């Protein structure tokens, strides 16, 4: 999978060198390119924002640098298939595990990280002439910009690419994969600071273990995330 990111803060993405994502890049499973939006400005101050038409608070990102940045990426990437543009925004559709799964099958993702009050709306329309466009939110709270949101999405998506996670069966037992929260886990010692591991897990009885884990999933989901059971 190829991933391009456009941002006015490329150093946010230095962290993609480490951890699982870093290993996937080293293995050639992931080809990530980070671009500085300001490289596509032509004035002395490298201006990327301006005041909003119609008035109001804050600044809006200008369309011209975005147009140039998106054109440059699309023309330099091998044209295997039209790319999917992702614009992180608290005004977007909600990002879930199924969104991550869907996006993990795309050959080319382009993340456009907005700052300030947002990006000129015509940029999204223009991107729509080059590929699919998704405005995606991580949840109902506000971040300062799309960088941290893009990082979260890149991690959630890239770990679903075949070959990324060492033991693929571990992916199936995670929270959200079956619509429920994950069951509690224990390891040795069997007794720690007066707290014992539940007996059933020491019983060696696989059927009863599976049944207990499913009950715990339901109980946790009911307590912490009743919305998932509706
Ligand atoms: Cl995707 N972007 C920003 N700026 N804030 C958010 C978000 C995204 N998701 C939740 N809050």
């Amino acid at each position: 999978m190829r991933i391009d990111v456009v941002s006015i803060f490329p150093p946010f993405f230095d962290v993609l060198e480490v951890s699982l994502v870093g290993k996937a890049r080293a293995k050639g499973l992931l080809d990530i390119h980070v671009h500085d939006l300001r490289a596509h400005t032509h004035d002395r101050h490298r201006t990327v924002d301006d005041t909003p038409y119609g008035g109001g608070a804050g600044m809006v990102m200008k369309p011209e640098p975005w147009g140039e940045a998106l054109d440059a990426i699309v023309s330099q990437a091998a044209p295997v298939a039209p790319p999917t543009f992702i614009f992180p925004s608290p005004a977007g559709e909600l990002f879930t595990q199924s969104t991550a799964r869907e996006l993990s099958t795309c050959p080319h993702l382009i993340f456009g990280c907005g700052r300030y009050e947002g990006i000129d709306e015509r940029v999204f329309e223009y991107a729509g002439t080059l590929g699919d466009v998704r405005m995606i939110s991580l949840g109902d709270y506000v971040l300062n910009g799309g960088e941290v949101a893009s990082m979260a999405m890149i991690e959630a998506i890239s770990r679903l690419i075949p070959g990324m996670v060492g033991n693929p069966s571990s992916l199936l037992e995670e929270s959200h994969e079956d619509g429920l929260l994950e069951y509690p886990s224990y390891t040795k010692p069997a007794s720690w600071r007066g707290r014992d591991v539940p007996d059933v897990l020491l019983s060696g009885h696989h059927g009863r273990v599976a049944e207990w884990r499913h009950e715990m999933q339901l109980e946790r989901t009911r307590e912490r995330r009743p919305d998932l059971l509706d």
Side-chain angles (χ1 to χ4, degrees), residues 87-90 114 136-146 149 153:
F87 292 100
S89 163
I136 305 184
S137 169
L138 289 193
D140 295 336
Y141 46 85
V142 180
L143 304 170
N144 282 334
M153 289 189 253

Side-chain angles (χ1 to χ4, degrees), residues 121-184:
E121 189 69 20
R122 293 166 292 183
V123 172
F124 310 125
E125 296 166 16
Y126 178 66
T129 68
L130 304 174
D132 284 338
V133 178
R134 308 273 295 258
M135 313 272 284
I136 305 184
S137 169
L138 289 193
D140 295 336
Y141 46 85
V142 180
L143 304 170
N144 282 334
E147 283 78 7
V148 167
S150 292
M151 290 286 286
M153 289 189 253
I154 290 169
E155 188 159 310
I157 293 164
S158 59
R159 62 195 294 285
L160 299 175
I161 297 170
M164 261 287 284
V165 170
N167 177 5
S169 68
S170 70
L171 289 174
L172 297 175
E173 296 201 357
E174 290 171 338
S175 292
H176 301 296
E177 274 301 338
D178 58 3
L180 297 174
L181 302 187
E182 199 181 2
Y183 52 76

Side-chain angles (χ1 to χ4, degrees), residues 56-79:
M59 300 289 268
V60 175
M61 294 189 106
K62 297 163 60 61
E64 303 97 318
W66 278 104
E68 280 192 27
L70 301 186
D71 285 345
I73 290 167
V74 168
S75 66
Q76 94 185 202

